[in-house]
């Protein structure tokens, strides 16, 4: 107590190092606790919080940010047009999870769109100035240069869905392969024999994994994969309509469709209705995401649920840990951290 009083009389603030010494941990561990990182045991967190209380340590946010070149801000970067962001429930659900997980921290969230070349150039300049402590990358395509730029700038980053199986950045994803497989297995179990699929953009790794699940489910059931029953989509409603028209022209006897997003399923549903095909009597349908669209379709859409809000929360947990350590995982030589959350098929009247 005498030491504490001396500090109070001298007017000097207790330091982070003094808190670490009192708690019997390293300086980095104290920083993790203060910044809300999940990678701290409850016992360690309690020891640090007790030391903070005993010493009267108060984080000086502005001074800490200046000294550590910190901004206490993170950016959620979406390399897509704004119209797509606001039309697809996936993005709003990710944002909801991110916001909920940030609510108990001092971090501010910036939402940045980078769907055009001009927006990307502006974003590169912004990031090069180190105006954020970390970046969440959502909906990244295989050839997107942003992840490599972040690695070069040594800005901590987490990506929603790896670009490939060799992803070097920390990532959070759902089990796209298992989701695609379960959709087809469900349709097979319903007695369907001509099962088509509308893919997502195949420069997105998650879409590649869904189509792999589709193929493997058919082959494991002794079914031949008919390439005429596979039509490319782009995760948009118009893409679903266009693909469904192609499928009906090529294979008018199809009796089931796995649309690899609920938005595309909605577009495909319109085309089937115009063609006089009833769901599920003539054509059974399964979507993906289990969004509000699935619940409000007529009939309600069977869909593969991925825990999108939980994915947003997990992305923040990973990013806060990267920021607390202040070095990207790739430069630390650590094994890349890839979180894969389970999916679940929700059966409704469309199948």
């Amino acid at each position: 107590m005498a030491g504490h009083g001396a500090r109070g009389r001298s007017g000097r603030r207790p330091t982070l190092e003094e808190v670490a010494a009192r708690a019997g941990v390293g300086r980095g561990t104290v920083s993790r606790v203060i910044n809300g990182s999940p990678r701290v045991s409850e016992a360690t967190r309690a020891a640090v919080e007790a030391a903070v209380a005993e010493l009267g340590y108060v984080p000086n946010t502005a001074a800490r940010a200046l000294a550590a070149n910190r901004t206490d801000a993170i950016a959620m970067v979406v390399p897509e047009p704004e119209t797509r962001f606001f039309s697809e429930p996936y993005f709003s659900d990710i944002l909801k999870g991110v916001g909920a997980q940030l609510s108990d921290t001092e971090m501010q969230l910036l939402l940045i769109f980078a769907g055009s070349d001009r927006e990307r150039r502006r974003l590169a300049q912004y990031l090069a100035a180190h105006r954020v402590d970390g970046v969440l990358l959502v909906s990244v395509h295989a050839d997107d240069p942003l992840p490599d730029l972040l690695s070069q700038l040594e800005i901590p980053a987490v990506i929603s869905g790896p670009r490939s199986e060799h992803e070097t950045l920390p990532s959070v994803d759902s089990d796209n392969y298992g989701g695609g497989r379960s959709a087809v297995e469900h349709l097979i179990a319903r007695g369907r024999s001509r099962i088509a699929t509308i893919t997502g953009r195949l420069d997105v790794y998650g879409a590649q994994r869904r189509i792999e699940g589709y193929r493997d489910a058919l082959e494991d059931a002794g079914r031949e994969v008919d390439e005429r029953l596979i039509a490319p989509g782009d995760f948009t409603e118009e893409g679903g309509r266009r693909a469904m028209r192609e499928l009906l022209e090529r294979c008018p006897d199809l009796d089931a469709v796995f649309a690899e997003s609920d938005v595309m399923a909605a577009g495909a549903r319109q085309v089937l209705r115009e063609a006089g095909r009833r769901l599920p009597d003539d054509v059974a349908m399964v979507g993906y995401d289990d969004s509000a669209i699935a619940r409000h379709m007529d009939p309600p859409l069977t869909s593969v649920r991925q825990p999108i809000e939980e994915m947003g929360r997990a992305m923040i947990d990973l990013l806060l840990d990267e920021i607390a350590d202040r070095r990207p995982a790739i430069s630390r030589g650590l094994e890349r951290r890839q979180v894969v959350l389970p999916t679940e098929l929700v059966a409704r009247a469309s199948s």
Side-chain angles (χ1 to χ4, degrees):
M1 292 298 291
H4 186 196
R7 279 191 293 275
R9 287 191 298 271
S10 69
R12 184 172 66 81
R13 289 174 176 269
T15 66
L16 200 67
E17 288 76 9
E18 288 167 341
V19 173
R22 177 66 64 92
V25 299
R27 186 181 188 280
T29 300
V30 175
S31 178
R32 287 187 178 89
V33 172
I34 291 172
N35 285 296
S37 170
R39 287 182 62 190
V40 181
S41 70
E42 288 304 316
T44 298
R45 188 181 305 279
V48 171
E49 291 174 347
V52 166
E54 291 169 11
L55 294 174
Y57 176 75
V58 178
N60 184 330
T61 303
R64 185 183 71 207
L66 287 171
N69 194 25
R70 288 275 302 276
T71 65
D72 283 334
I74 64 173
M76 178 170 159
V77 176
V78 183
E80 299 281 359
E82 292 183 40
T83 51
R84 185 179 171 203
F85 179 90
F86 290 108
S87 65
E88 294 189 27
Y90 173 85
F91 294 107
S92 59
D93 287 345
I94 281 277
L95 184 59
K96 191 182 300 182
V98 166
Q101 201 70 355
L102 277 180
S103 61
D104 292 331
T105 74
E106 297 176 349
M107 289 286 188
Q108 297 295 315
L109 178 65
L110 307 176
L111 178 59
I112 300 176
F113 297 102
S116 68
D117 290 340
R118 180 171 178 271
E119 289 173 335
R120 288 169 184 267
R121 287 194 297 270
R122 289 175 57 191
L123 174 62
Q125 294 172 353
Y126 185 82
L127 294 176
H130 288 270
R131 294 180 178 175
V132 295
D133 296 326
V135 172
L136 301 171
L137 281 172
V138 180
S139 187
V140 177
H141 303 284
D143 60 351
D144 198 308
L146 282 175
D148 293 333
L149 172 65
L150 291 167
S151 294
Q152 292 167 12
L153 295 173
E154 294 196 336
I155 297 175
V158 174
I159 193 168
S160 73
R163 290 166 289 172
S164 73
E165 62 181 320
H166 306 296
E167 180 60 65
T168 55
L169 289 177
S171 69
V172 176
D173 204 2
S174 66
D175 181 7
N176 288 289
Y177 173 84
R181 188 181 181 97
S182 68
V184 178
E185 289 173 343
H186 171 78
L187 291 168
I188 291 172
R190 289 289 195 270
R192 305 296 167 149
S193 59
R194 299 282 285 162
I195 303 172
T197 188
I198 300 173
T199 76
R201 289 186 56 166
L202 293 181
D203 60 346
V204 175
Y205 184 59
Q208 296 171 24
R209 295 294 286 158
R210 291 176 197 177
I211 191 67
E212 287 172 12
Y214 165 86
R215 291 178 179 275
D216 286 355
L218 288 174
E219 290 176 352
D220 289 349
R223 309 281 186 90
E224 182 179 350
V225 177
D226 185 345
E227 299 297 330
R228 295 177 304 161
L229 288 168
I230 301 174
D234 57 4
F235 293 119
T236 68
E237 189 171 349
E238 178 54 37
R241 283 192 288 266
R242 184 173 56 248
M244 194 68 247
R245 291 190 191 102
E246 292 178 13
L247 288 168
L248 286 176
E249 288 175 7
R250 292 202 299 253
C251 305
D253 59 340
L254 64 84
D255 61 1
V257 178
F258 167 38
E260 297 182 21
S261 80
D262 290 346
V263 174
M264 291 193 300
R269 172 72 182 93
Q270 293 175 10
V271 172
L272 288 170
R273 177 172 287 172
E274 291 166 2
R277 306 293 181 92
R278 297 168 299 167
L279 265 64
D281 299 356
D282 302 318
V283 178
M285 180 176 284
V286 176
Y288 204 104
D289 290 332
D290 191 37
S291 63
I293 292 172
R295 296 187 293 275
H296 295 151
M297 271 182 60
D298 179 23
L301 179 68
T302 295
S303 185
V304 177
R305 175 183 295 163
Q306 54 176 340
I308 302 175
E309 283 189 42
E310 187 178 348
M311 289 165 61
R313 290 177 179 270
M315 288 181 71
I316 286 295
D317 286 345
L318 281 181
L319 186 60
L320 289 180
D321 184 61
E322 295 297 312
I323 292 170
D325 193 89
R326 297 195 59 214
R327 289 172 298 160
I330 189 171
S331 66
R332 297 200 302 271
L334 298 181
E335 181 179 347
R336 63 184 184 274
R337 299 180 62 200
Q338 294 193 349
V339 175
V340 179
L341 300 176
T343 54
E344 174 191 3
L345 186 128
V346 181
R348 298 190 178 92
S350 71
S351 62

